Amino acid sequence: MRIDVITIFPGYLAPLREALLGRAIGAGLVDLAVHDLRSWTRDVHQAVDDSPYGGGPGMVMRPQVWGEALDAVLALDERPARIVVPTPAGRPFTQATAQAWTGEERLVFACGRYEGIDQRVVDDARRRDLPVDEVSIGDYVLVGGEVAVLVMVEAVVRLLPGVLGNPASAQQDSFSDGLLEGPAYTRPEVWRGLAVPEVLRSGNHAKIARWRRDRALERTAQRRPDLLAALPEDALDDADRAF
Ligand SMILES: O=C(OCc1ccccc1)c1cn[nH]c1
């Protein structure tokens, strides 16, 4: 998978070259290219924003600069690309989104700042039949899209074959069965007077699986009743319902 990021703060994306993601890049599982949006400005001040039509606070990112930047970056590789624009006003980015994007040959992230990017940039891309997703990583406002890109790239790349040492852990992710992960424990057996739940040391794998599912159901009911309500009918068996 090729990933391009267009931003006025390329340094913000440096963490993508660290650790697991850095190894995925080194192993050739991911190609990452970060581009400075200001490369496509033509004025001496390298202006990337301007005042909003209709008035109001803040600034809007200029369409000309973004249009030229996207055209140039898209032209760097003939692989079809999905353009992703992080914004508080976007559709929710979820594990399902991350899973779906693992099928993409190329992702091009456009990092907005200020009050966002002139809407015509997205409209023009869609008019040219380029897939464009305006996505939100959560209901809060950041200063720019760069942090959201770090989140989304990590969520996607960890799912690519060969990236995680143990693919099973991606399968048993929180959300993969629609429930939150329950509590996890490791040695020592007793720590500061707190013991690991007996069942986990019983060696009885059926009992352990049941206990883990009960803890996941309990936690989901307490913290995310919305996820419980969203489960398909057949997702809960009788033992679950008893819980
Ligand atoms: O703040 C975010 O993106 C940066 C951004 C983009 C456009 C205008 C303002 C801020 C964001 C919040 N949840 N998901 C994304």
Side-chain angles (χ1 to χ4, degrees), residues 86-88 112-116 135-138 140-145 148:
T87 166
R113 284 197 162 241
Y114 313 109
E115 300 311 307
V135 288
S136 165
I137 61 164
Y140 35 77
V141 182
L142 304 170
V143 180

Short mmCIF file of all heavy atoms in Angstrom, two decimals, residues 86-88 112-116 135-138 140-145 148, ligand 1:
data_model
loop_
_atom_site.label_atom_id
_atom_site.label_comp_id
_atom_site.label_asym_id
_atom_site.label_seq_id
_atom_site.Cartn_x
_atom_site.Cartn_y
_atom_site.Cartn_z
N PRO A 86 -9.49 14.30 6.85
CA PRO A 86 -9.93 14.29 8.23
C PRO A 86 -10.65 15.60 8.55
O PRO A 86 -10.15 16.68 8.18
CB PRO A 86 -8.62 14.21 9.04
CG PRO A 86 -7.57 13.81 8.07
CD PRO A 86 -8.03 14.32 6.74
N THR A 87 -11.80 15.52 9.20
CA THR A 87 -12.55 16.71 9.60
C THR A 87 -13.55 16.33 10.68
O THR A 87 -14.11 15.24 10.65
CB THR A 87 -13.30 17.34 8.42
OG1 THR A 87 -14.26 18.28 8.90
CG2 THR A 87 -14.03 16.30 7.58
N PRO A 88 -13.78 17.26 11.64
CA PRO A 88 -14.79 16.98 12.67
C PRO A 88 -16.18 16.77 12.05
O PRO A 88 -17.05 16.16 12.64
CB PRO A 88 -14.79 18.25 13.54
CG PRO A 88 -13.54 18.97 13.20
CD PRO A 88 -13.19 18.60 11.79
N GLY A 112 -6.25 19.19 6.65
CA GLY A 112 -6.80 20.54 6.74
C GLY A 112 -6.41 21.18 8.06
O GLY A 112 -6.10 20.47 9.02
N ARG A 113 -6.45 22.51 8.08
CA ARG A 113 -6.24 23.28 9.32
C ARG A 113 -7.22 24.44 9.29
O ARG A 113 -8.06 24.51 8.39
CB ARG A 113 -4.81 23.82 9.40
CG ARG A 113 -3.89 22.75 9.76
CD ARG A 113 -2.54 23.14 10.27
NE ARG A 113 -2.06 21.95 10.93
CZ ARG A 113 -1.76 21.89 12.22
NH1 ARG A 113 -1.80 22.97 12.95
NH2 ARG A 113 -1.41 20.75 12.78
N TYR A 114 -7.07 25.33 10.27
CA TYR A 114 -7.95 26.50 10.33
C TYR A 114 -9.41 26.03 10.36
O TYR A 114 -9.72 25.10 11.11
CB TYR A 114 -7.69 27.44 9.12
CG TYR A 114 -6.23 27.71 8.89
CD1 TYR A 114 -5.56 27.16 7.80
CD2 TYR A 114 -5.49 28.47 9.80
CE1 TYR A 114 -4.21 27.38 7.59
CE2 TYR A 114 -4.14 28.70 9.61
CZ TYR A 114 -3.49 28.15 8.50
OH TYR A 114 -2.15 28.35 8.30
N GLU A 115 -10.28 26.58 9.52
CA GLU A 115 -11.69 26.17 9.49
C GLU A 115 -11.90 25.09 8.44
O GLU A 115 -13.03 24.71 8.16
CB GLU A 115 -12.58 27.37 9.18
CG GLU A 115 -12.46 28.51 10.20
CD GLU A 115 -12.57 28.01 11.63
OE1 GLU A 115 -13.56 27.32 11.93
OE2 GLU A 115 -11.66 28.28 12.41
N GLY A 116 -10.84 24.61 7.84
CA GLY A 116 -10.99 23.55 6.86
C GLY A 116 -10.57 23.97 5.46
O GLY A 116 -10.08 25.09 5.25
N VAL A 135 -13.72 12.11 6.80
CA VAL A 135 -13.93 11.28 7.98
C VAL A 135 -13.52 11.95 9.28
O VAL A 135 -12.60 12.78 9.32
CB VAL A 135 -13.14 9.95 7.87
CG1 VAL A 135 -13.77 9.03 6.86
CG2 VAL A 135 -11.69 10.20 7.57
N SER A 136 -14.24 11.58 10.34
CA SER A 136 -13.95 12.10 11.68
C SER A 136 -13.42 10.95 12.55
O SER A 136 -13.95 9.84 12.50
CB SER A 136 -15.23 12.65 12.32
OG SER A 136 -15.02 12.82 13.72
N ILE A 137 -12.39 11.23 13.36
CA ILE A 137 -11.90 10.20 14.29
C ILE A 137 -12.56 10.38 15.65
O ILE A 137 -12.30 9.61 16.56
CB ILE A 137 -10.37 10.21 14.45
CG1 ILE A 137 -9.86 11.54 15.01
CG2 ILE A 137 -9.67 9.84 13.15
CD1 ILE A 137 -8.44 11.46 15.55
N GLY A 138 -13.44 11.38 15.80
CA GLY A 138 -14.11 11.53 17.09
C GLY A 138 -14.75 12.90 17.21
O GLY A 138 -14.42 13.81 16.45
N TYR A 140 -14.62 15.83 18.61
CA TYR A 140 -13.86 16.91 19.26
C TYR A 140 -13.14 17.63 18.13
O TYR A 140 -13.06 17.12 17.00
CB TYR A 140 -12.83 16.35 20.26
CG TYR A 140 -12.23 15.06 19.80
CD1 TYR A 140 -11.25 15.06 18.81
CD2 TYR A 140 -12.67 13.85 20.32
CE1 TYR A 140 -10.71 13.87 18.36
CE2 TYR A 140 -12.13 12.65 19.85
CZ TYR A 140 -11.16 12.67 18.88
OH TYR A 140 -10.64 11.48 18.42
N VAL A 141 -12.63 18.80 18.40
CA VAL A 141 -11.98 19.57 17.33
C VAL A 141 -10.49 19.67 17.59
O VAL A 141 -10.06 20.06 18.69
CB VAL A 141 -12.57 21.00 17.22
CG1 VAL A 141 -11.90 21.75 16.08
CG2 VAL A 141 -14.07 20.92 17.01
N LEU A 142 -9.69 19.24 16.60
CA LEU A 142 -8.23 19.37 16.69
C LEU A 142 -7.83 20.64 15.94
O LEU A 142 -8.66 21.28 15.30
CB LEU A 142 -7.58 18.15 16.06
CG LEU A 142 -8.02 16.80 16.65
CD1 LEU A 142 -7.53 15.65 15.81
CD2 LEU A 142 -7.54 16.67 18.09
N VAL A 143 -6.54 20.96 16.00
CA VAL A 143 -6.09 22.15 15.28
C VAL A 143 -5.89 21.82 13.80
O VAL A 143 -6.11 22.64 12.91
CB VAL A 143 -4.77 22.70 15.88
CG1 VAL A 143 -4.31 23.93 15.12
CG2 VAL A 143 -4.98 23.03 17.35
N GLY A 144 -5.50 20.57 13.53
CA GLY A 144 -5.27 20.17 12.14
C GLY A 144 -5.49 18.67 11.97
O GLY A 144 -5.63 17.93 12.94
N GLY A 145 -5.50 18.24 10.74
CA GLY A 145 -5.79 16.85 10.43
C GLY A 145 -4.64 15.88 10.66
O GLY A 145 -4.83 14.66 10.62
N ALA A 148 -5.06 13.20 13.29
CA ALA A 148 -6.08 12.23 12.84
C ALA A 148 -5.46 11.26 11.83
O ALA A 148 -5.78 10.07 11.82
CB ALA A 148 -7.26 12.97 12.22
O1 LIG B 1 -10.19 18.28 14.06
C1 LIG B 1 -10.20 17.35 13.28
O2 LIG B 1 -9.53 17.40 12.05
C2 LIG B 1 -8.71 18.53 11.81
C3 LIG B 1 -9.50 19.66 11.23
C4 LIG B 1 -9.86 19.61 9.88
C5 LIG B 1 -10.60 20.65 9.35
C6 LIG B 1 -10.97 21.73 10.14
C7 LIG B 1 -10.61 21.76 11.49
C8 LIG B 1 -9.86 20.71 12.03
C9 LIG B 1 -10.92 16.10 13.57
C10 LIG B 1 -11.68 15.85 14.70
N1 LIG B 1 -12.17 14.59 14.58
N2 LIG B 1 -11.75 14.07 13.41
C11 LIG B 1 -10.98 14.98 12.77
#
